[in-house]
Amino acid sequence: MLCRRSRRCYPIKCGSYKYALKLWTAHPGDGASHYDLLIAHLNQWAPASGSVVVPLFESKGLLVRGQWYPTLLLEWMEGDSARSSSKNT
């Protein structure tokens, strides 16, 4: 499933759990620090709320032919995408 030009998203099933794995085909540059800040912020709220899903970002997530590519692992959420929802309004 294609996310955007420089990213691809894949559903991953592990036992009864389902995840979304986002892979970059090019390094996100400053986008990597965006994920670090976002995850740090979400980690502050996750224990108290019990309903916040914190993604796992790895700047060296996947090694392909000697080059590291970042990965983002998120809990799979069923429903319409934001893009398809905005088209229906």
Side-chain angles (χ1 to χ4, degrees):
M1 135 185 0
L2 181 64
C3 291
R4 294 203 178 182
R5 275 187 237 159
S6 62
R7 300 179 296 268
R8 294 205 173 264
C9 299
Y10 300 95
I12 304 291
K13 191 164 184 183
C14 181
S16 61
Y17 296 99
K18 193 171 182 182
Y19 301 94
L21 178 64
K22 183 183 284 189
L23 304 173
W24 275 261
T25 57
H27 200 279
D30 290 341
S33 62
H34 164 80
Y35 282 104
D36 290 333
L37 292 171
L38 176 64
I39 291 168
H41 178 74
L42 290 174
N43 275 324
Q44 292 176 354
W45 294 98
S49 75
S51 61
V52 175
V53 177
V54 179
L56 175 62
F57 176 77
E58 293 290 340
S59 59
K60 291 185 175 181
L62 184 66
L63 181 63
V64 178
R65 297 183 189 133
Q67 172 125 11
W68 284 104
Y69 292 91
T71 60
L72 183 69
L73 186 68
L74 306 119
E75 186 176 333
W76 187 269
M77 305 301 272
E78 295 293 337
D80 294 332
S81 70
R83 180 174 290 164
S84 67
S85 294
S86 65
K87 289 179 182 177
N88 295 332
T89 58

